[in-house]
Amino acid sequence: MSQHRTLTPSTRTRRSTSRFTRLSVALALITAACSETATGPAASILSSDLSFARSSVSSFTVLGNAAATCTDGTIIGDVGTFFAAPTGDVTLTNCPVTGSVHVGDAAAVQAYEAFVARYDAVAPVPNEACTVLTGTLSGVSLAPGSYCFDAAAALTGVLTLAGPANGTWTFKIGTSGTGALTGTNFTVLMAGGAVSCNVTWWVAEAATLTDSRFIGTILAGQAITLTRGTFYGNVYSQAGVTVTGTELTGCEGGSFPPNNGGQDKDKCNQGVGNGPEGCDPGNSNHRRPTNDENGGVPGQPGRKQP
C-alpha cells in the first residue's frame, strides 16, 4: 500500500484579495440560512463553513455568472446562472440534470449572492495562519485545517483527507493574489469518517480538472472547466462553468460518494488484480490483515500474501 506523508502547519503573511461585491446583502442571506450557534470569530467562521454547505444555496451543483454548459455528462442537483436570458444561458447537450434549471430567477440570484459573499469571506487576509502547501499533493494525507498555495496549484496523484465527520478542510489557491487550480488524474479520498461537503477549495482564478475524482466545493474567481472523471461537490464560478463528460453529484443531490453515507470508505474491497486504487482493499484474504493490490489476476480474491 502507498504511504502518506503528513504536513505540519506554518504561518505566512498574506495580502488580502477579498472582494466585497454585494457583501452586506449576501451575508444576511447566509446568516438566515445558518442553523449553528457560534461564539467568537473563529467559531463564527466554522459555523459559516458548515451552514453554507447545508443551506439552500447548496441545492445548486453548478452555478455560474452568465453561462453554464454541460456536454455528455450528468448533474445531480440544480444548475443556474446569475444573469437572466439572453445574457444568462444554460446549455445541456446529452446531459441529464436531476434537479432544476434556473436562469437568472430569484433562486439563482439569491444563491449567487450568497456564493459571492462566501467567496469574499474565505478569501485570504493579512497575517492569516494556515499550512503552506507546495507540489502535487500526491501521497499526502491532511488532517482538518486551513491550507494555502501562494500561487497556482497543479495537482495529481492521490490526496487523502483524514478526520472526523465534523472536520473541515479549506484550501486557498492563489493567496498572493493570482493562481489557478489545475488537477490532472487527481484523486481525493476521505478517511476516518470525513464528509465531502465539509471540503472547500477557494481559487483566486480559474479551476480546471481533467480525468480526476474530485471532492469538495469549488469557489472560483474565474471559469471552472471539468473534463471527464467524477466530481462530488458543488462548482461555483464568478465566470462560466463548462462540463464535458463528467459525472457531478452535488451536496444536496445525493450521497458522497453514492451509497456510503456521505463519506469515502477506508477500505475499497476491489479484489485482486484490478490494479491499485490508493485505498485499503480490506481483509478478505484469509488470516491476513489486508489484501494485496499488487499482482494477481481477477478471480483470485483470497490469494495469500508471501
Side-chain angles (χ1 to χ4, degrees):
M1 305 300 299
S2 60
Q3 297 295 318
H4 299 293
R5 51 190 172 87
T6 301
L7 302 180
T8 56
S10 61
T11 302
R12 291 279 188 88
T13 299
R14 294 173 174 75
R15 298 186 291 109
S16 171
T17 59
S18 296
R19 292 176 289 176
F20 292 97
T21 306
R22 309 179 185 92
L23 180 58
S24 58
V25 175
L27 280 177
L29 293 173
I30 291 180
T31 302
C34 292
S35 59
E36 290 81 9
T37 300
T39 303
S44 298
I45 292 173
L46 175 59
S47 177
S48 177
D49 283 338
L50 296 176
S51 60
F52 177 80
R54 297 167 184 167
S55 70
S56 60
V57 176
S58 64
S59 68
F60 282 85
T61 299
V62 175
L63 185 62
N65 185 26
T69 301
C70 178
T71 304
D72 297 327
T74 59
I75 299 173
I76 298 179
D78 293 351
V79 179
T81 61
F82 172 73
F83 283 105
T87 303
D89 180 65
V90 174
T91 302
L92 304 172
T93 304
N94 191 28
C95 179
V97 174
T98 304
S100 302
V101 175
H102 305 262
V103 180
D105 62 12
V109 169
Q110 177 177 341
Y112 189 85
E113 296 285 3
F115 150 54
V116 171
R118 186 70 200 130
Y119 183 91
D120 291 338
V122 175
V125 296
N127 302 315
E128 178 180 11
C130 70
T131 301
V132 179
L133 300 176
T134 60
T136 66
L137 300 188
S138 180
V140 172
S141 179
L142 297 174
S146 180
Y147 299 93
C148 299
F149 280 86
D150 286 336
L155 310 180
T156 190
V158 178
L159 166 67
T160 300
L161 305 181
N166 63 349
T168 62
W169 289 259
T170 301
F171 296 89
K172 303 183 183 185
I173 291 92
T175 57
S176 63
T178 59
L181 167 64
T182 302
T184 305
N185 294 313
F186 178 57
T187 296
V188 181
L189 298 178
M190 310 295 287
V195 177
S196 305
C197 282
N198 289 351
V199 181
T200 301
W201 300 79
W202 182 96
V203 187
E205 297 180 320
T208 303
L209 300 173
T210 305
D211 296 320
S212 296
R213 182 183 183 275
F214 195 85
I215 284 177
T217 291
I218 294 180
L219 311 176
Q222 296 182 13
I224 296 176
T225 303
L226 310 179
T227 304
R228 297 180 298 275
T230 58
F231 192 106
Y232 298 99
N234 302 329
V235 288
Y236 299 151
S237 167
Q238 294 190 41
V241 179
T242 301
V243 178
T244 305
T246 305
E247 299 178 8
L248 281 81
T249 301
C251 280
E252 293 295 317
S255 58
F256 269 66
N259 303 321
N260 68 356
Q263 64 198 56
D264 285 340
K265 296 181 179 179
D266 292 326
K267 302 182 185 298
C268 49
N269 285 317
Q270 54 151 33
V272 174
N274 293 340
E277 293 181 353
C279 56
D280 183 352
N283 58 359
S284 60
N285 196 348
H286 183 55
R287 295 182 179 178
R288 298 288 178 175
T290 182
N291 284 327
D292 180 9
E293 287 184 323
N294 299 318
V297 295
Q300 295 179 336
R303 176 177 55 81
K304 293 182 179 181
Q305 295 174 336

